[in-house]
């Protein structure tokens, strides 16, 4: 291990910064803002579309512009955080996100809205990896790290559901523009707090020259991948542009890997992703997000269209999932993380979530919220919260301080790409099942009311068909976590390196990543 890295990792453990817990409050607040934004805008979309005269064909760009910029620039944002310093990247990211949110709230036409959303994505891609990497370098004691990542994991997992509640309130009682303006006080408080409270450990920056070919290849490759899945949802998997995007993405990302293996100062050092524990976390977390994002969408539609819930009531219907996530993350995950190996939390956690998802395959038009949806959401939340916390922590363990930003960016990338895949893949499955059900049953419906009933039954049939796939995806995520992740209990053995032979940490008192 390099002397610089040793000092950077060792110093905080010996004399931890007194303000680290205060810093956690502002880091968590910023993370909540970013996660909220992923779902809060969805609730406001119908109202914003009507006010700004956005066509049905273009409305997807309110979501897509953000997803493309955020997903495409995450690795670059993580590297900038390593170069500038995480505190500076964090504060700049917050400031830019606030300005972009103000532009979105003040939008007078669709072009201004799409531009504001893309700008939010750009600064979100700087902010998100900076936030996670700050935790990684500030909390190195095993027990403290467990608590800090428990809080962070609960926010990362439950923030999306909170966004549904807040989005419903703001849209129903104020105006859709407040779903953007609400970010401004979040950002100002978090940035001011971070500026005065956060003390980033010395010696953790990566001052190597920026890998421009890596930046271009990774950004274009990830943008093509996210756009391919987004387009597949609206235009179909056989669409020529969809196929072209997937082919282009495969070529660009393969070239990126080759370039990264040869350049002296890579954007994404392959040692970050080839270490089996981190690789297992990125893969299993991405799969779990695929299942979760699809479910958020289906349950929102089911509750509002099939059950007739208002936006606010729909948001509150997700509360059991939030409670489950917070409990799983801060109580189960945090308490057990320093006692058992991470895979024994991640694997069972994903399986408990799969059990909750399995209950939802029994959805019908007249299903009881109390008897079916409530227990299913509690299980989903408990399972995901329990699994998310060790996954978030493990994703940056054993990483040299100079790589903390890009390692954190990989977590966000797996989540962002997973969200794009989940929405497109599960939506396609649901739509196919719905169409098939209507074709088989519509002939027997003679009256208008019977036809409407068939349409609703077909929607629910589509949702349950897609949820079966989500169950399978969560089981695969559990299998990957149990197979790939072989790290010992935090603090049980010395940290081992990332497999490259470079930057191996010997007997450093931080949570373990053992082979």
């Amino acid at each position: 291990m390099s002397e610089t890295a040793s000092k950077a990792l060792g110093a905080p453990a010996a004399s931890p910064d007194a303000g680290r817990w205060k810093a956690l409050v502002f880091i968590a607040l910023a993370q909540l803002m970013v996660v909220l934004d992923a779902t809060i805008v969805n609730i406001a979309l119908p109202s914003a579309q009507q006010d700004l005269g956005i066509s049905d064909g273009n409305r997807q760009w309110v979501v897509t512009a953000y997803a493309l910029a955020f997903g495409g620039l995450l690795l670059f944002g993580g590297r900038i955080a390593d170069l500038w310093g995480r505190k500076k990247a964090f504060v700049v990211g917050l400031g830019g996100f606030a300005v972009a949110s103000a532009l979105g709230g003040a939008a007078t036409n669709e072009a201004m809205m799409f531009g504001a959303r893309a700008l939010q994505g750009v600064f979100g891609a700087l902010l998100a990896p900076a936030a996670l990497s700050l935790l990684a370098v500030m909390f190195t004691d095993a027990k403290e790290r467990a608590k800090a990542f428990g809080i962070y994991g609960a926010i990362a997992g439950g923030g999306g559901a909170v966004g549904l509640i807040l989005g419903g309130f703001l849209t129903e009682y104020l105006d859709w523009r407040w779903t953007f303006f609400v970010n401004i006080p979040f950002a100002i408080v978090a940035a001011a707090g971070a500026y005065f409270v956060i003390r980033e450990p010395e010696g953790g920056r990566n001052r190597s020259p920026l890998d421009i070919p890596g930046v271009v290849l990774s950004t274009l490759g990830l943008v093509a991948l996210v756009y391919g899945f987004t387009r597949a949802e609206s235009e179909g998997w056989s669409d020529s542009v969809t196929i072209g995007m997937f082919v282009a993405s495969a070529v660009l990302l393969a070239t990126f890997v080759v370039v990264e293996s040869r350049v002296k100062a890579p954007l994404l050092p392959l040692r970050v992703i080839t270490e089996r524990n981190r690789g297992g976390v990125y893969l299993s977390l991405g799969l779990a997000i695929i299942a979760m994002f699809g479910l958020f969408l289906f349950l929102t539609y089911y509750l509002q269209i099939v059950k007739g819930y208002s936006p606010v009531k729909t948001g509150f219907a997700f509360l059991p999932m939030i409670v489950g996530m917070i409990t799983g993350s801060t109580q189960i995950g945090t308490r057990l993380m320093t006692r058992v190996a991470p895979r024994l939390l991640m694997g069972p956690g994903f399986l408990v979530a799969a059990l909750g998802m399995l209950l939802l395959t029994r959805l019908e038009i007249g299903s009881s919220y109390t008897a079916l949806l409530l227990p299913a959401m509690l299980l989903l939340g408990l399972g995901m919260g329990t699994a998310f916390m060790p996954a978030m922590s493990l994703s940056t363990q054993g990483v040299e301080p100079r790589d903390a930003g890009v390692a954190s960016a990989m977590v966000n990338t797996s989540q962002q790409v997973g969200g794009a895949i989940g929405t497109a893949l599960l939506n396609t499955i649901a739509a196919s099942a719905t169409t098939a059900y209507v074709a088989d049953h519509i002939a027997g419906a003679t009256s208008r009311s019977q036809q409407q009933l068939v349409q609703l039954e077909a929607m629910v049939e589509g949702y349950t068909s897609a949820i079966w796939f989500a169950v399978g995806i969560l089981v695969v995520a559990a299998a990957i976590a149990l197979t790939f992740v072989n790290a010992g209990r935090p603090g049980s053995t010395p940290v081992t390196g990332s497999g490259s032979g470079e930057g191996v940490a010997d007997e450093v008192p931080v949570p373990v990543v053992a082979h």
Side-chain angles (χ1 to χ4, degrees), residues 404-422:
V406 288
S408 302
M410 275 303 301
V411 182
N412 289 285
T413 301
S414 66
Q415 290 178 303
Q416 189 64 26
V417 173
I421 294 172

Side-chain angles (χ1 to χ4, degrees), residues 429-454:
I429 293 167
S432 299
T434 297
T435 303
Y437 188 93
V438 170
D440 291 342
H441 295 82
I442 200 69
T446 53
S447 66
R448 184 186 176 95
S449 61
Q450 287 177 323
Q451 290 173 352
Q452 288 176 335
L453 182 62
V454 168

Side-chain angles (χ1 to χ4, degrees), residues 199-226:
R199 298 287 181 269
E200 187 179 349
E202 294 293 329
R205 289 195 193 180
N206 185 345
R207 301 183 187 275
S208 304
L210 197 58
D211 170 23
I212 300 300
V215 170
V216 173
L217 288 167
S218 67
T219 301
L220 292 178
L222 288 170
V223 164
L225 183 63
V226 173

Side-chain angles (χ1 to χ4, degrees), residues 27-54:
I27 293 168
L29 186 64
Q31 174 64 13
L32 178 62
M33 181 187 72
V34 173
V35 176
L36 280 176
D37 202 70
T39 51
I40 198 171
V41 174
N42 290 342
I43 296 280
L45 187 53
S47 302
Q49 180 186 355
Q50 186 175 0
D51 275 7
L52 300 178
I54 302 173

Side-chain angles (χ1 to χ4, degrees), residues 362-376:
R362 298 169 54 200
L363 268 185
E364 296 174 353
I365 289 178
S367 291
S368 163
Y369 176 84
T370 308
L372 181 64
L373 274 81
L374 178 64

